[in-house]
Amino acid sequence: MARILITSAIPYINGIKHLGNLVGSQLPADLYARYQRGRGNEVMFLCATDEHGTPAELAAAKAGKPVAEYCAEMHEVQADIARRFGLSFDHFGRSSSPQNHKLTQHFAGKLAENDLIREVSERQVYSNADGRFLPDRYIEGTCPNCGYDKARGDQCENCTKQLDPTDLIEPRSAISGSTDLEVRETKHLYLRQSALKDQLDAWIDSKTDWPVLTTSIAKKWLHDGDGLQDRGITRDLDWGIPVKKGEQDWPGMEGKVFYVWFDAPIEYIACAGEWAEAHGKSDAEWERWWRTDKGADDVRYVQFMGKDNVPFHTLSFPATLIGSGEPWKMVDHLKSFNYLNYDGGQFSTSQGRGVFMDQALEILPADYWRWWLLSHAPENSDSEFTWENFQASVNKDLADVLGNFVSRITKFCRSKFGEEVPEGGAYGPQEEALIAELTTRVRAYEGHMEAMEVRKSAQELRAIWAAGNEYLQSAAPWTLFKTDPVQAAAQVRLGLNLIRLYAVLSAPFIPAASARMLEAMQTGDDSWPEDIAAALNALAPGHAFTVPEVLFAKISDEDREGWQTRFAGMRS
């Protein structure tokens, strides 16, 4: 049994995520976790909410709530939506947890011991009205490049130009709107990433099986321009993990917190600690996943994320782990994704453009979305969600191919043989040919899933479903029944066993429908089909079943048009 640690990029706390966020990390990670569990491997699948930093404070202020209360509420909202999407996390934690406070401070202390932290004096904007330094995102003004009057101090969202707060025309506080701003000196801690450049370079060079997208982004940050830069790891904010050197105070850093990018990846480890506490387990139980001196040396660690998160996970987080000098488990494979665009434009959380996870579930059950998103995952390039494509894919793949197969064979059996697997007859050349084809296809499916080739896996699974339909069409038991009911019984028996097989193979993609198929077949046998011939004899003659409700309803043109109109503009 292999041990596989899986993390997906932790979603930010400031609101409900859109489908592009979902397919860029959590959903393919869940696909892989479900598959590996199905193969009998030991899996630890961790995720959390990312709760610190400027946007959390702004979102809480907008909601009129204390930031801790806002984060607690939004964590519950995100956890609930994740459950309803069938995301099978072993634990869904919080970066504001006591475990992450302690671990982040621990790492900072170790990095300082190893001379990998330096103090830097900076000049930052201070708001007299707010009585605080303002991070770049807290400062708004008019963009000097395009004239957009709501440009932020780090970037203009309208023309995308990178900015400094001092570039803005008529700058003001995003908190109070005050223009009473001044530039003051403040001290911050920087992680000396540049000192670890050669080690990071060699480590990335060793990852020959990583996607080109992942390594190319990492190499760009390592070598372009002046190469890998040191990075600030502290901020003048109220909300966050207080700056400490392990358990000791850090002179000169009073009132400061660690920068969100520093503490957020550490939450992957802390999340395992939260899992252990939640289940009454000892520290040894989570350390066996994360410490190579305590059992994690045989763990395969896989991360899933959108391409915008790659620099932090290939450079900054590894720099923290390597720089600590401690035996932490490093990532083995980093699966990164391009962007999913929406109907000719981009999804945008800030602008409310596109379909968000809660809205998707109001319209249709999770499996409809899971299938479309995974089968169109933006692996090698950006992909685009259109309502026409969504409708066509659901209607063809789910309703016509899989749903129709299940409906036809169960209803035909009920009408001719009753609600149990019929006996009589034997598998002949047609059945042997199908078993041979399915054996080849299932092995190919396993290969794609192991390699995390999401779209290829979906294509192979669809072909496995289609093979059953083609067999039924060719064998035509409803016709054969009139002249040879015994042989027709064997064909129906094979068809019913195919439903169980499809349920097991499809579970990573469409877990709810898979469970309904197993329930209809009245079996708890979800063992992986190592031997296809044996798997197609799992339900013996006399085994009872029920005819399930329609697995997947077709999407009508009227529904599609209505949804297109509803989601064309801003989220209300």
mmCIF file of all heavy atoms in Angstrom, residues 488-531:
data_model
loop_
_atom_site.group_PDB
_atom_site.id
_atom_site.type_symbol
_atom_site.label_atom_id
_atom_site.label_comp_id
_atom_site.label_asym_id
_atom_site.label_seq_id
_atom_site.Cartn_x
_atom_site.Cartn_y
_atom_site.Cartn_z
ATOM 1 N N ALA A 488 -29.752 -14.444 -24.067
ATOM 2 C CA ALA A 488 -30.099 -13.058 -23.742
ATOM 3 C C ALA A 488 -29.875 -12.803 -22.254
ATOM 4 O O ALA A 488 -29.435 -11.721 -21.845
ATOM 5 C CB ALA A 488 -31.541 -12.752 -24.129
ATOM 6 N N ALA A 489 -30.152 -13.810 -21.427
ATOM 7 C CA ALA A 489 -29.938 -13.687 -19.986
ATOM 8 C C ALA A 489 -28.463 -13.447 -19.674
ATOM 9 O O ALA A 489 -28.117 -12.624 -18.802
ATOM 10 C CB ALA A 489 -30.421 -14.942 -19.268
ATOM 11 N N ALA A 490 -27.569 -14.122 -20.381
ATOM 12 C CA ALA A 490 -26.127 -13.938 -20.168
ATOM 13 C C ALA A 490 -25.715 -12.510 -20.534
ATOM 14 O O ALA A 490 -24.906 -11.879 -19.842
ATOM 15 C CB ALA A 490 -25.341 -14.955 -20.993
ATOM 16 N N GLN A 491 -26.293 -12.000 -21.628
ATOM 17 C CA GLN A 491 -25.968 -10.632 -22.057
ATOM 18 C C GLN A 491 -26.469 -9.604 -21.031
ATOM 19 O O GLN A 491 -25.770 -8.637 -20.723
ATOM 20 C CB GLN A 491 -26.577 -10.366 -23.434
ATOM 21 C CG GLN A 491 -25.967 -11.222 -24.526
ATOM 22 C CD GLN A 491 -26.702 -11.108 -25.844
ATOM 23 O OE1 GLN A 491 -27.818 -10.582 -25.904
ATOM 24 N NE2 GLN A 491 -26.087 -11.604 -26.918
ATOM 25 N N VAL A 492 -27.651 -9.843 -20.515
ATOM 26 C CA VAL A 492 -28.197 -8.939 -19.494
ATOM 27 C C VAL A 492 -27.356 -9.022 -18.214
ATOM 28 O O VAL A 492 -27.087 -7.993 -17.569
ATOM 29 C CB VAL A 492 -29.680 -9.280 -19.216
ATOM 30 C CG1 VAL A 492 -30.191 -8.521 -18.000
ATOM 31 C CG2 VAL A 492 -30.527 -8.950 -20.438
ATOM 32 N N ARG A 493 -26.941 -10.215 -17.866
ATOM 33 C CA ARG A 493 -26.096 -10.395 -16.680
ATOM 34 C C ARG A 493 -24.797 -9.598 -16.819
ATOM 35 O O ARG A 493 -24.348 -8.942 -15.875
ATOM 36 C CB ARG A 493 -25.796 -11.886 -16.473
ATOM 37 C CG ARG A 493 -25.111 -12.200 -15.155
ATOM 38 C CD ARG A 493 -25.207 -13.683 -14.806
ATOM 39 N NE ARG A 493 -24.491 -14.552 -15.719
ATOM 40 C CZ ARG A 493 -25.066 -15.400 -16.585
ATOM 41 N NH1 ARG A 493 -26.400 -15.497 -16.645
ATOM 42 N NH2 ARG A 493 -24.341 -16.168 -17.383
ATOM 43 N N LEU A 494 -24.232 -9.643 -18.006
ATOM 44 C CA LEU A 494 -23.020 -8.867 -18.264
ATOM 45 C C LEU A 494 -23.320 -7.371 -18.136
ATOM 46 O O LEU A 494 -22.546 -6.614 -17.528
ATOM 47 C CB LEU A 494 -22.482 -9.183 -19.659
ATOM 48 C CG LEU A 494 -21.213 -8.412 -20.060
ATOM 49 C CD1 LEU A 494 -20.021 -8.891 -19.246
ATOM 50 C CD2 LEU A 494 -20.915 -8.570 -21.537
ATOM 51 N N GLY A 495 -24.456 -6.963 -18.693
ATOM 52 C CA GLY A 495 -24.830 -5.546 -18.645
ATOM 53 C C GLY A 495 -24.990 -5.040 -17.219
ATOM 54 O O GLY A 495 -24.536 -3.935 -16.881
ATOM 55 N N LEU A 496 -25.620 -5.825 -16.367
ATOM 56 C CA LEU A 496 -25.804 -5.421 -14.962
ATOM 57 C C LEU A 496 -24.467 -5.353 -14.236
ATOM 58 O O LEU A 496 -24.240 -4.466 -13.403
ATOM 59 C CB LEU A 496 -26.751 -6.399 -14.258
ATOM 60 C CG LEU A 496 -28.199 -6.395 -14.763
ATOM 61 C CD1 LEU A 496 -28.988 -7.548 -14.155
ATOM 62 C CD2 LEU A 496 -28.891 -5.063 -14.465
ATOM 63 N N ASN A 497 -23.571 -6.294 -14.552
ATOM 64 C CA ASN A 497 -22.235 -6.253 -13.951
ATOM 65 C C ASN A 497 -21.436 -5.046 -14.444
ATOM 66 O O ASN A 497 -20.593 -4.508 -13.716
ATOM 67 C CB ASN A 497 -21.476 -7.552 -14.222
ATOM 68 C CG ASN A 497 -21.754 -8.607 -13.157
ATOM 69 O OD1 ASN A 497 -21.222 -8.532 -12.060
ATOM 70 N ND2 ASN A 497 -22.625 -9.569 -13.483
ATOM 71 N N LEU A 498 -21.721 -4.638 -15.670
ATOM 72 C CA LEU A 498 -21.060 -3.433 -16.185
ATOM 73 C C LEU A 498 -21.450 -2.201 -15.364
ATOM 74 O O LEU A 498 -20.634 -1.295 -15.175
ATOM 75 C CB LEU A 498 -21.425 -3.205 -17.661
ATOM 76 C CG LEU A 498 -20.588 -3.936 -18.713
ATOM 77 C CD1 LEU A 498 -21.199 -3.750 -20.092
ATOM 78 C CD2 LEU A 498 -19.138 -3.454 -18.699
ATOM 79 N N ILE A 499 -22.688 -2.160 -14.882
ATOM 80 C CA ILE A 499 -23.118 -1.016 -14.069
ATOM 81 C C ILE A 499 -22.263 -0.919 -12.811
ATOM 82 O O ILE A 499 -21.790 0.164 -12.440
ATOM 83 C CB ILE A 499 -24.617 -1.117 -13.711
ATOM 84 C CG1 ILE A 499 -25.471 -1.009 -14.980
ATOM 85 C CG2 ILE A 499 -25.003 -0.022 -12.705
ATOM 86 C CD1 ILE A 499 -26.961 -1.223 -14.744
ATOM 87 N N ARG A 500 -22.044 -2.054 -12.166
ATOM 88 C CA ARG A 500 -21.179 -2.032 -10.972
ATOM 89 C C ARG A 500 -19.760 -1.606 -11.341
ATOM 90 O O ARG A 500 -19.139 -0.791 -10.650
ATOM 91 C CB ARG A 500 -21.149 -3.413 -10.296
ATOM 92 C CG ARG A 500 -20.499 -3.378 -8.893
ATOM 93 C CD ARG A 500 -20.001 -4.747 -8.445
ATOM 94 N NE ARG A 500 -18.840 -5.188 -9.175
ATOM 95 C CZ ARG A 500 -17.567 -4.861 -8.859
ATOM 96 N NH1 ARG A 500 -17.318 -4.101 -7.802
ATOM 97 N NH2 ARG A 500 -16.563 -5.310 -9.590
ATOM 98 N N LEU A 501 -19.247 -2.139 -12.442
ATOM 99 C CA LEU A 501 -17.904 -1.771 -12.900
ATOM 100 C C LEU A 501 -17.817 -0.267 -13.168
ATOM 101 O O LEU A 501 -16.865 0.400 -12.753
ATOM 102 C CB LEU A 501 -17.553 -2.553 -14.167
ATOM 103 C CG LEU A 501 -16.206 -2.220 -14.807
ATOM 104 C CD1 LEU A 501 -15.061 -2.759 -13.962
ATOM 105 C CD2 LEU A 501 -16.122 -2.779 -16.225
ATOM 106 N N TYR A 502 -18.835 0.261 -13.861
ATOM 107 C CA TYR A 502 -18.839 1.697 -14.178
ATOM 108 C C TYR A 502 -18.917 2.539 -12.910
ATOM 109 O O TYR A 502 -18.297 3.601 -12.821
ATOM 110 C CB TYR A 502 -20.013 2.037 -15.096
ATOM 111 C CG TYR A 502 -19.881 1.522 -16.511
ATOM 112 C CD1 TYR A 502 -20.943 1.569 -17.407
ATOM 113 C CD2 TYR A 502 -18.674 0.979 -16.966
ATOM 114 C CE1 TYR A 502 -20.823 1.102 -18.706
ATOM 115 C CE2 TYR A 502 -18.545 0.508 -18.258
ATOM 116 C CZ TYR A 502 -19.616 0.572 -19.124
ATOM 117 O OH TYR A 502 -19.478 0.117 -20.406
ATOM 118 N N ALA A 503 -19.658 2.072 -11.931
ATOM 119 C CA ALA A 503 -19.775 2.812 -10.668
ATOM 120 C C ALA A 503 -18.407 2.941 -10.003
ATOM 121 O O ALA A 503 -18.021 4.022 -9.542
ATOM 122 C CB ALA A 503 -20.753 2.116 -9.733
ATOM 123 N N VAL A 504 -17.659 1.851 -9.988
ATOM 124 C CA VAL A 504 -16.333 1.854 -9.339
ATOM 125 C C VAL A 504 -15.369 2.755 -10.110
ATOM 126 O O VAL A 504 -14.671 3.599 -9.524
ATOM 127 C CB VAL A 504 -15.771 0.426 -9.233
ATOM 128 C CG1 VAL A 504 -14.334 0.439 -8.713
ATOM 129 C CG2 VAL A 504 -16.658 -0.432 -8.338
ATOM 130 N N LEU A 505 -15.322 2.601 -11.430
ATOM 131 C CA LEU A 505 -14.385 3.377 -12.242
ATOM 132 C C LEU A 505 -14.739 4.867 -12.265
ATOM 133 O O LEU A 505 -13.855 5.720 -12.361
ATOM 134 C CB LEU A 505 -14.359 2.840 -13.679
ATOM 135 C CG LEU A 505 -13.840 1.419 -13.875
ATOM 136 C CD1 LEU A 505 -14.021 0.990 -15.328
ATOM 137 C CD2 LEU A 505 -12.367 1.311 -13.478
ATOM 138 N N SER A 506 -16.026 5.184 -12.171
ATOM 139 C CA SER A 506 -16.489 6.569 -12.302
ATOM 140 C C SER A 506 -16.480 7.336 -10.995
ATOM 141 O O SER A 506 -16.633 8.563 -10.996
ATOM 142 C CB SER A 506 -17.922 6.588 -12.873
ATOM 143 O OG SER A 506 -18.022 5.842 -14.054
ATOM 144 N N ALA A 507 -16.317 6.633 -9.872
ATOM 145 C CA ALA A 507 -16.426 7.274 -8.559
ATOM 146 C C ALA A 507 -15.529 8.505 -8.379
ATOM 147 O O ALA A 507 -15.957 9.490 -7.781
ATOM 148 C CB ALA A 507 -16.172 6.261 -7.451
ATOM 149 N N PRO A 508 -14.291 8.503 -8.888
ATOM 150 C CA PRO A 508 -13.475 9.707 -8.712
ATOM 151 C C PRO A 508 -14.066 10.935 -9.417
ATOM 152 O O PRO A 508 -13.918 12.055 -8.930
ATOM 153 C CB PRO A 508 -12.130 9.326 -9.333
ATOM 154 C CG PRO A 508 -12.081 7.831 -9.229
ATOM 155 C CD PRO A 508 -13.498 7.393 -9.451
ATOM 156 N N PHE A 509 -14.731 10.723 -10.544
ATOM 157 C CA PHE A 509 -15.313 11.831 -11.305
ATOM 158 C C PHE A 509 -16.697 12.225 -10.794
ATOM 159 O O PHE A 509 -16.965 13.404 -10.574
ATOM 160 C CB PHE A 509 -15.412 11.461 -12.797
ATOM 161 C CG PHE A 509 -14.134 11.575 -13.549
ATOM 162 C CD1 PHE A 509 -13.273 10.492 -13.653
ATOM 163 C CD2 PHE A 509 -13.776 12.763 -14.174
ATOM 164 C CE1 PHE A 509 -12.078 10.596 -14.357
ATOM 165 C CE2 PHE A 509 -12.590 12.883 -14.890
ATOM 166 C CZ PHE A 509 -11.729 11.788 -14.977
ATOM 167 N N ILE A 510 -17.573 11.257 -10.659
ATOM 168 C CA ILE A 510 -18.981 11.534 -10.328
ATOM 169 C C ILE A 510 -19.403 10.675 -9.132
ATOM 170 O O ILE A 510 -20.152 9.711 -9.280
ATOM 171 C CB ILE A 510 -19.893 11.297 -11.559
ATOM 172 C CG1 ILE A 510 -19.554 9.963 -12.266
ATOM 173 C CG2 ILE A 510 -19.789 12.455 -12.553
ATOM 174 C CD1 ILE A 510 -20.537 9.582 -13.372
ATOM 175 N N PRO A 511 -18.930 11.023 -7.937
ATOM 176 C CA PRO A 511 -19.120 10.146 -6.772
ATOM 177 C C PRO A 511 -20.574 9.926 -6.373
ATOM 178 O O PRO A 511 -20.928 8.821 -5.947
ATOM 179 C CB PRO A 511 -18.341 10.861 -5.663
ATOM 180 C CG PRO A 511 -18.184 12.281 -6.116
ATOM 181 C CD PRO A 511 -18.116 12.212 -7.603
ATOM 182 N N ALA A 512 -21.427 10.933 -6.515
ATOM 183 C CA ALA A 512 -22.824 10.760 -6.104
ATOM 184 C C ALA A 512 -23.540 9.787 -7.032
ATOM 185 O O ALA A 512 -24.262 8.894 -6.585
ATOM 186 C CB ALA A 512 -23.534 12.104 -6.078
ATOM 187 N N ALA A 513 -23.348 9.948 -8.338
ATOM 188 C CA ALA A 513 -23.964 9.034 -9.305
ATOM 189 C C ALA A 513 -23.409 7.623 -9.131
ATOM 190 O O ALA A 513 -24.140 6.637 -9.235
ATOM 191 C CB ALA A 513 -23.726 9.532 -10.731
ATOM 192 N N SER A 514 -22.129 7.528 -8.850
ATOM 193 C CA SER A 514 -21.501 6.221 -8.612
ATOM 194 C C SER A 514 -22.163 5.518 -7.427
ATOM 195 O O SER A 514 -22.485 4.318 -7.498
ATOM 196 C CB SER A 514 -20.008 6.421 -8.351
ATOM 197 O OG SER A 514 -19.433 5.252 -7.845
ATOM 198 N N ALA A 515 -22.374 6.258 -6.354
ATOM 199 C CA ALA A 515 -23.013 5.679 -5.162
ATOM 200 C C ALA A 515 -24.427 5.218 -5.476
ATOM 201 O O ALA A 515 -24.875 4.161 -5.003
ATOM 202 C CB ALA A 515 -23.027 6.705 -4.030
ATOM 203 N N ARG A 516 -25.148 5.983 -6.297
ATOM 204 C CA ARG A 516 -26.517 5.604 -6.674
ATOM 205 C C ARG A 516 -26.519 4.334 -7.534
ATOM 206 O O ARG A 516 -27.420 3.498 -7.421
ATOM 207 C CB ARG A 516 -27.191 6.749 -7.435
ATOM 208 C CG ARG A 516 -27.589 7.918 -6.527
ATOM 209 C CD ARG A 516 -28.107 9.095 -7.308
ATOM 210 N NE ARG A 516 -29.263 8.753 -8.119
ATOM 211 C CZ ARG A 516 -29.666 9.447 -9.194
ATOM 212 N NH1 ARG A 516 -28.986 10.511 -9.588
ATOM 213 N NH2 ARG A 516 -30.737 9.081 -9.855
ATOM 214 N N MET A 517 -25.512 4.188 -8.380
ATOM 215 C CA MET A 517 -25.415 2.990 -9.211
ATOM 216 C C MET A 517 -25.147 1.748 -8.346
ATOM 217 O O MET A 517 -25.762 0.695 -8.537
ATOM 218 C CB MET A 517 -24.318 3.168 -10.270
ATOM 219 C CG MET A 517 -24.695 4.174 -11.356
ATOM 220 S SD MET A 517 -23.259 4.901 -12.207
ATOM 221 C CE MET A 517 -22.703 3.529 -13.184
ATOM 222 N N LEU A 518 -24.246 1.881 -7.385
ATOM 223 C CA LEU A 518 -23.972 0.755 -6.476
ATOM 224 C C LEU A 518 -25.200 0.420 -5.637
ATOM 225 O O LEU A 518 -25.514 -0.753 -5.403
ATOM 226 C CB LEU A 518 -22.788 1.088 -5.559
ATOM 227 C CG LEU A 518 -21.399 1.094 -6.194
ATOM 228 C CD1 LEU A 518 -20.360 1.552 -5.185
ATOM 229 C CD2 LEU A 518 -21.028 -0.283 -6.742
ATOM 230 N N GLU A 519 -25.900 1.471 -5.203
ATOM 231 C CA GLU A 519 -27.112 1.279 -4.404
ATOM 232 C C GLU A 519 -28.173 0.540 -5.224
ATOM 233 O O GLU A 519 -28.828 -0.385 -4.732
ATOM 234 C CB GLU A 519 -27.638 2.642 -3.952
ATOM 235 C CG GLU A 519 -28.797 2.562 -2.981
ATOM 236 C CD GLU A 519 -29.314 3.948 -2.595
ATOM 237 O OE1 GLU A 519 -28.787 4.958 -3.076
ATOM 238 O OE2 GLU A 519 -30.273 3.985 -1.817
ATOM 239 N N ALA A 520 -28.328 0.940 -6.492
ATOM 240 C CA ALA A 520 -29.310 0.276 -7.363
ATOM 241 C C ALA A 520 -28.943 -1.194 -7.571
ATOM 242 O O ALA A 520 -29.817 -2.064 -7.618
ATOM 243 C CB ALA A 520 -29.389 0.993 -8.706
ATOM 244 N N MET A 521 -27.645 -1.454 -7.652
ATOM 245 C CA MET A 521 -27.183 -2.840 -7.821
ATOM 246 C C MET A 521 -27.155 -3.589 -6.489
ATOM 247 O O MET A 521 -26.768 -4.761 -6.433
ATOM 248 C CB MET A 521 -25.794 -2.868 -8.466
ATOM 249 C CG MET A 521 -25.762 -2.409 -9.911
ATOM 250 S SD MET A 521 -26.781 -3.433 -11.008
ATOM 251 C CE MET A 521 -28.222 -2.397 -11.219
ATOM 252 N N GLN A 522 -27.534 -2.883 -5.413
ATOM 253 C CA GLN A 522 -27.610 -3.459 -4.062
ATOM 254 C C GLN A 522 -26.323 -4.186 -3.674
ATOM 255 O O GLN A 522 -26.337 -5.338 -3.219
ATOM 256 C CB GLN A 522 -28.827 -4.382 -3.949
ATOM 257 C CG GLN A 522 -30.133 -3.617 -4.139
ATOM 258 C CD GLN A 522 -31.366 -4.428 -3.796
ATOM 259 O OE1 GLN A 522 -31.297 -5.455 -3.143
ATOM 260 N NE2 GLN A 522 -32.522 -3.945 -4.240
ATOM 261 N N THR A 523 -25.204 -3.454 -3.891
ATOM 262 C CA THR A 523 -23.908 -4.023 -3.528
ATOM 263 C C THR A 523 -23.030 -2.972 -2.863
ATOM 264 O O THR A 523 -23.090 -1.801 -3.216
ATOM 265 C CB THR A 523 -23.174 -4.589 -4.769
ATOM 266 O OG1 THR A 523 -21.910 -5.107 -4.352
ATOM 267 C CG2 THR A 523 -22.937 -3.524 -5.829
ATOM 268 N N GLY A 524 -22.254 -3.418 -1.907
ATOM 269 C CA GLY A 524 -21.247 -2.555 -1.301
ATOM 270 C C GLY A 524 -19.868 -2.863 -1.852
ATOM 271 O O GLY A 524 -18.859 -2.324 -1.397
ATOM 272 N N ASP A 525 -19.815 -3.733 -2.848
ATOM 273 C CA ASP A 525 -18.535 -4.152 -3.428
ATOM 274 C C ASP A 525 -18.023 -3.074 -4.381
ATOM 275 O O ASP A 525 -18.454 -2.991 -5.531
ATOM 276 C CB ASP A 525 -18.717 -5.486 -4.171
ATOM 277 C CG ASP A 525 -17.414 -5.966 -4.816
ATOM 278 O OD1 ASP A 525 -16.372 -5.315 -4.618
ATOM 279 O OD2 ASP A 525 -17.457 -6.987 -5.532
ATOM 280 N N ASP A 526 -17.130 -2.225 -3.885
ATOM 281 C CA ASP A 526 -16.554 -1.190 -4.742
ATOM 282 C C ASP A 526 -15.074 -1.459 -4.994
ATOM 283 O O ASP A 526 -14.285 -0.548 -5.223
ATOM 284 C CB ASP A 526 -16.742 0.202 -4.127
ATOM 285 C CG ASP A 526 -16.086 0.330 -2.755
ATOM 286 O OD1 ASP A 526 -15.538 -0.679 -2.261
ATOM 287 O OD2 ASP A 526 -16.123 1.446 -2.185
ATOM 288 N N SER A 527 -14.704 -2.754 -4.953
ATOM 289 C CA SER A 527 -13.295 -3.125 -5.155
ATOM 290 C C SER A 527 -12.860 -2.811 -6.584
ATOM 291 O O SER A 527 -13.629 -2.963 -7.533
ATOM 292 C CB SER A 527 -13.087 -4.608 -4.856
ATOM 293 O OG SER A 527 -13.939 -5.399 -5.672
ATOM 294 N N TRP A 528 -11.620 -2.378 -6.698
ATOM 295 C CA TRP A 528 -11.090 -1.977 -8.008
ATOM 296 C C TRP A 528 -10.952 -3.195 -8.921
ATOM 297 O O TRP A 528 -10.521 -4.265 -8.483
ATOM 298 C CB TRP A 528 -9.728 -1.293 -7.837
ATOM 299 C CG TRP A 528 -9.330 -0.572 -9.086
ATOM 300 C CD1 TRP A 528 -8.495 -1.021 -10.064
ATOM 301 C CD2 TRP A 528 -9.790 0.708 -9.510
ATOM 302 N NE1 TRP A 528 -8.404 -0.103 -11.084
ATOM 303 C CE2 TRP A 528 -9.186 0.979 -10.763
ATOM 304 C CE3 TRP A 528 -10.645 1.660 -8.960
ATOM 305 C CZ2 TRP A 528 -9.417 2.159 -11.471
ATOM 306 C CZ3 TRP A 528 -10.878 2.838 -9.654
ATOM 307 C CH2 TRP A 528 -10.266 3.077 -10.893
ATOM 308 N N PRO A 529 -11.306 -3.060 -10.206
ATOM 309 C CA PRO A 529 -11.279 -4.209 -11.132
ATOM 310 C C PRO A 529 -9.874 -4.529 -11.645
ATOM 311 O O PRO A 529 -9.496 -4.126 -12.742
ATOM 312 C CB PRO A 529 -12.191 -3.741 -12.277
ATOM 313 C CG PRO A 529 -12.033 -2.248 -12.291
ATOM 314 C CD PRO A 529 -11.865 -1.847 -10.857
ATOM 315 N N GLU A 530 -9.115 -5.258 -10.848
ATOM 316 C CA GLU A 530 -7.782 -5.679 -11.309
ATOM 317 C C GLU A 530 -7.927 -6.688 -12.457
ATOM 318 O O GLU A 530 -7.137 -6.710 -13.384
ATOM 319 C CB GLU A 530 -6.987 -6.312 -10.152
ATOM 320 C CG GLU A 530 -6.869 -5.448 -8.899
ATOM 321 C CD GLU A 530 -6.086 -4.156 -9.106
ATOM 322 O OE1 GLU A 530 -5.385 -4.033 -10.123
ATOM 323 O OE2 GLU A 530 -6.191 -3.263 -8.236
ATOM 324 N N ASP A 531 -8.976 -7.511 -12.370
ATOM 325 C CA ASP A 531 -9.257 -8.528 -13.392
ATOM 326 C C ASP A 531 -10.662 -8.238 -13.926
ATOM 327 O O ASP A 531 -11.654 -8.415 -13.220
ATOM 328 C CB ASP A 531 -9.193 -9.917 -12.746
ATOM 329 C CG ASP A 531 -9.505 -11.042 -13.734
ATOM 330 O OD1 ASP A 531 -10.262 -10.808 -14.704
ATOM 331 O OD2 ASP A 531 -9.009 -12.163 -13.512
#
